[in-house]
Amino acid sequence: MKMSIAVVFSALSFGERKLTKYARVAATAWFGRSVLIKLAHILERIGLAMVGAAGGLYVAVGMMRMDNDFFRNEWIVLLMMLYGGFGFYVGIDLPSRLAQTVESTRSGEWSLGTDAAAIASGAGTFLAASAVFLSVGIIVFDYIMRDGFSVMVACCWAIGTSFQIAAGAIGRSKVIVEDGQ
């Protein structure tokens, strides 16, 4: 009697797992991604772009303190803001399917596209954030820096933002190739 009850419970649990599997498939087919989640992702991307543009503004204001008339031009400020916004929009939030491929590779295996995108995104974010941090400190403390240091901060920001754009391009091309599109 005990054996037959165990067999019945085993069969029920197997059927329950199978039913759960089909219920998930049906729910995924009917509902898909929520509109609210898509809206949240769009707002997140816009927020990242605004942070990048603000970072470009701070670095540009730090550059405007130099005695060079080229950096005192408002078009340079606008270009740095647009470049920063674009870099943060494209590079920081890599596609979710790329993150899934990182987990699917073995721990000792090197994946050039996936690892390069993650490394470039991390390094770019660090370089750009460091430059913005230094620029804000210079502005807040009203410290007059040498022109060479200001140029170094601006180059650090430009290189970091370029790394972010490269990471976004690598990550998105990797996702497109894997999807076969």
Side-chain angles (χ1 to χ4, degrees), residues 3-172:
M3 182 69 158
S4 62
I5 291 175
V7 170
V8 169
F9 283 135
S10 174
L12 286 175
S13 67
F14 176 74
E16 186 178 85
R17 281 183 276 172
K18 205 172 196 181
L19 182 63
T20 305
K21 175 184 163 189
Y22 291 128
R24 268 192 232 132
V25 171
T28 304
W30 283 99
F31 298 116
R33 281 184 75 181
S34 171
V35 174
L36 192 60
I37 292 172
K38 288 181 182 180
L39 180 64
H41 188 71
I42 289 170
L43 290 175
E44 176 188 27
R45 303 297 294 224
I46 292 170
L48 288 170
M50 291 185 337
V51 167
L57 175 66
Y58 287 127
V59 174
V61 168
M63 294 293 292
M64 289 178 76
R65 299 176 72 144
M66 291 175 43
D67 291 331
N68 192 338
D69 288 335
F70 178 73
F71 294 111
R72 292 180 185 229
N73 189 348
E74 60 271 357
W75 289 104
I76 296 298
V77 175
L78 181 64
L79 287 174
M80 290 180 81
M81 288 177 64
L82 290 174
Y83 192 67
F86 181 70
F88 274 63
Y89 180 85
V90 170
I92 289 182
D93 186 25
L94 295 176
S96 61
R97 287 177 278 175
L98 179 66
Q100 292 169 358
T101 61
V102 171
E103 294 172 4
S104 67
T105 59
R106 287 183 270 161
S107 61
E109 187 177 305
W110 172 261
S111 173
L112 183 62
T114 304
D115 294 338
I119 291 169
S121 178
T125 302
F126 178 77
L127 287 172
S130 298
V132 171
F133 180 77
L134 289 172
S135 295
V136 169
I138 290 168
I139 293 167
V140 167
F141 293 121
D142 197 26
Y143 195 73
I144 304 298
M145 298 302 299
R146 293 187 178 165
D147 290 350
F149 184 77
S150 296
V151 169
M152 183 192 76
V153 168
C155 288
C156 183
W157 177 82
I159 291 169
T161 305
S162 298
F163 275 3
Q164 290 174 341
I165 292 170
I170 291 169
R172 282 161 182 76

